[in-house]
Amino acid sequence: MTPANIADAVLTAAKAVFTARGLDLAALPAAATVERPRNPEHGDYATNLALQVAKKVGANPRDLASALAGELSKFTGIAAVEIAGPGFLNIRVDAAAAGELARLVVTQGTAYGHGTALAGLRLNLEFVSANPTGPIHLGGVRWAAVGDALARLLKAAGADVTTEYYFNDAGSQIDRFAKSLQAAARGEATPEDGYGGAYIAEIAEAVKAKHPGADDLETFRVEGVELMFAQIKSSLAEFGTHFDVYFNEKDLHTKGELDLALERLRAQGHIYEADGATWLRTTDFGDDKDRVLRKSDGEWTYFAADCAYYLDKRERGAEKIVMMLGADHHGYVGRMRAMAACFGDDPDVNLEILIGQLVNLVRDGQPMRMSKRAGTVVTMEDLVDAIGVDASRYALARYSIHSPIDIDVDLWTRATRDNPVYYVQYVAARSASVARNAAELGLTRDVGEFDPALLAHPKELELLKALGDYPAVVAGAAELREPHRVATYLETLAGDYHRFFDNCRVLPMGDAPIEPVNVARLWLNDATRTVIANGLGLLGVTAPERM
């Protein structure tokens, strides 16, 4: 049984008690809260529902808990219900009901853990969005891992998700990039405010090869951006991160979307003219100052493009727009929320901005400061070369985005239990090895009858409870936008599996015949591999069969 099954049973029992006593059913919550007690001796699950609703209906909590216990005891699979303290209920599940979860997990396979908590929500998730002036640096790599994991989580929770990469091929940064390429092609020094690194020379040579004799800045601008962005997309693909939409800021200008956004905001009554410029009155919605959309010389501001891009996403059907930004964008939040309100949206409903902290790559106890290729920053390629794709993605997704990370190369390349990704992936490989060895002995899941009641050892029951927690972990991680919860769960599950493996022999000893308990334990072994693989998959990490 899963916590969701228990929660449903608790709520059903409560409705029966309320109906029998003539109490107001409206006082009951939409769902009952069920938790695993910290002390396993207190039972398998616990609920405080009686305490939660007793005051609302004028009932004694302990008396209400007693009535709930009586109803819950009637449910198949519930072995005992005990009243604790002023009205808590501790629930014990019988072994057969607990063990049946192994069959459920294996049967559902990759679908196990998926839910409908966010069903019907159309969401646009934008992340990375680095300008095509150089390779993706570590901050962007964090978003490539976390953003992709979040997209997978949101989809697993039922949301309709569009992933999007926004890039700018205009503006001062692109000008400096083009001048840097031009200087490299001419054999000149990098401009004072330009970009350095071996990649500039590589791209400059590629432009020269494609356009022999070309020396004009526009050629280096157009071709250089195209080549750089092709490299960025290739790096992301090798990292396992793909986007549904690559959106070019230039399209906002060529398709007249900035004018459309301006007129929409004017119609909402938030536009005014001052000092020859066109302003958006964002201070009406909490911004620290009003924002210029069009300067006195007629040029659009970056914020005007932000407004047009937001409107474009909404017009494409996104009900909620989620943007993942770097640590230097805290000041961006207030103006974007105010902008959404100026369009008539509710920023708490239609816009969500996630801010991530910095990442350092550490080798031999010292931070790596620059890339051999980029010349100024540590890049995605540097991280992958140092510890590999799986370790990179896991390390970046393992921590809350609100925490800075130091990624220790020595730790994340170590084939030991203190390396978190190795610890979890080893369970995937070990459980696959058990299944292979079982098959060689003629032990498969369909040998005889699966008797879930045989999974009664304390370590088996603990592993089963951990497997039952997985759907709630996925739903919570998606709802809170916290992929690191999946990694935390996987490491806990890995520990439960290792303790099961050490205490409960799956394969028959020597020439001993295959017993029903071996079959039951194989089901539990395979269920664990399923959940480990599913969880790693949400993080974009592989579940190897051999290590």
Side-chain angles (χ1 to χ4, degrees), residues 165-457:
Y165 187 118
Y166 178 74
F167 68 99
N168 174 10
D169 60 358
S172 59
Q173 287 182 318
I174 301 298
D175 288 339
R176 298 202 309 272
F177 176 64
K179 290 176 182 177
S180 301
L181 294 176
Q182 187 183 53
R186 292 173 174 176
E188 300 172 353
T190 301
E192 185 175 343
D193 60 347
Y195 295 92
Y199 79 96
I200 290 291
E202 292 170 7
I203 294 175
E205 287 300 315
V207 173
K208 287 170 59 179
K210 189 173 180 180
H211 298 277
D215 189 55
D216 61 292
L217 194 62
E218 186 62 19
T219 297
F220 284 101
R221 184 197 316 275
V222 174
E223 295 293 342
V225 165
E226 183 176 326
L227 289 166
M228 187 71 254
F229 197 59
Q231 288 187 22
I232 289 173
K233 291 169 79 172
S234 176
S235 296
L236 287 167
E238 291 175 6
F239 196 65
T241 299
H242 304 272
F243 291 87
D244 300 316
V245 176
Y246 290 92
F247 193 100
N248 189 340
E249 182 188 350
K250 185 182 289 186
D251 290 342
L252 296 172
H253 295 265
T254 59
K255 295 179 180 179
E257 296 200 41
L258 284 93
D259 292 297
L260 176 64
L262 177 61
E263 292 312 308
R264 188 72 60 87
L265 291 166
R266 193 186 302 279
Q268 292 286 340
H270 303 300
I271 295 294
Y272 67 94
E273 311 292 330
D275 302 323
T278 302
W279 297 71
L280 181 63
R281 192 176 286 105
T282 53
T283 51
D284 286 352
F285 298 100
D287 196 6
D288 59 341
K289 61 182 180 181
D290 290 341
R291 304 289 169 175
V292 176
L293 296 181
R294 202 164 201 166
K295 295 182 283 189
S296 57
D297 61 3
E299 285 192 20
W300 294 102
T301 62
Y302 284 119
F303 187 63
D306 291 335
C307 294
Y309 187 39
Y310 175 85
L311 181 61
D312 182 273
K313 290 177 178 178
R314 292 285 283 127
E315 292 288 291
R316 282 187 272 140
E319 299 166 34
K320 180 179 282 290
I321 293 167
V322 181
M323 304 173 64
M324 309 181 83
L325 304 176
D328 56 342
H329 282 76
H330 277 285
Y332 200 68
V333 177
R335 77 187 72 167
M336 289 298 291
R337 286 177 57 83
M339 175 265 289
C342 286
F343 275 117
D345 284 348
D346 182 344
D348 291 328
V349 173
N350 304 112
L351 178 65
E352 187 174 347
I353 299 177
L354 305 175
I355 302 290
Q357 294 304 309
L358 300 175
V359 183
N360 290 309
L361 186 62
V362 177
R363 189 191 295 272
D364 299 325
Q366 298 297 318
M368 293 174 61
R369 295 300 182 190
M370 63 177 60
S371 164
K372 293 179 181 178
R373 184 165 180 269
T376 53
V377 294
V378 178
T379 68
M380 175 181 285
E381 287 78 6
D382 296 322
L383 179 61
V384 171
D385 287 346
I387 65 175
V389 171
D390 277 349
S392 297
R393 290 186 64 112
Y394 193 95
L396 291 166
R398 184 177 184 253
Y399 302 95
S400 166
I401 61 171
H402 305 299
S403 302
I405 306 174
D406 285 336
I407 297 179
D408 187 335
V409 173
D410 298 328
L411 170 66
W412 288 95
T413 54
R414 203 176 293 156
T416 56
R417 292 168 67 97
D418 58 344
N419 176 351
V421 71
Y422 178 87
Y423 185 59
V424 175
Q425 286 186 315
Y426 187 69
V427 174
R430 174 177 258 189
S431 55
S433 176
V434 168
R436 286 194 303 272
N437 292 336
E440 290 176 3
L441 295 174
L443 170 58
T444 61
R445 292 195 305 268
D446 57 2
V447 173
E449 188 75 19
F450 169 46
D451 184 355
L454 295 175
L455 299 174
H457 189 283

